[in-house]
Amino acid sequence: MSEKKIAEARFSDTGYSYTLSLIAGKYKPVILYCLMEYEPVRFNEMQRYLGKVADKTLSQNLKELERDGLIHRKMYPEVPPKVEYTLTPRGQSLVSVLDKLCDWGLENRDWDRAEQKDNA
């Protein structure tokens, strides 16, 4: 069995790096989680869910997720305009990854409190 050598490795060539390039940031993972749990979601609903996020910031993140094929934007021909966001099949393929993050968080979120209690 050959050993991996860090001198020959490049992080940018990994699947992990590619995945992070699509979902990293302050809002993208939360947007994906929101759509995983509640789709379809309208812009204002998403903004309320995220809390204090500027229109421009949310719009930019949604455009990037749409460009990367993770979400779908459906615009209805109504006045005022109605737009809904859903996960694409590619975005749906991330659900198992997001579920694992949720599971880990549920299993470990009390760690800080337990650690502080042990050190008291």
Side-chain angles (χ1 to χ4, degrees), residues 19-63:
T19 304
L20 285 181
S21 75
L22 298 178
I23 68 169
K26 185 173 181 178
Y27 297 108
K28 287 182 183 179
V30 184
I31 291 168
L32 293 169
Y33 177 79
C34 178
L35 292 174
M36 179 180 93
E37 293 292 318
Y38 304 107
E39 72 176 359
V41 177
R42 297 179 67 179
F43 186 90
N44 288 338
E45 294 171 327
M46 180 80 65
Q47 198 168 37
R48 267 193 266 21
Y49 185 79
L50 292 172
K52 293 188 177 186
V53 58
D55 290 358
K56 184 178 179 180
T57 302
L58 179 55
S59 180
Q60 177 76 28
N61 278 265
L62 290 166
K63 284 177 184 172

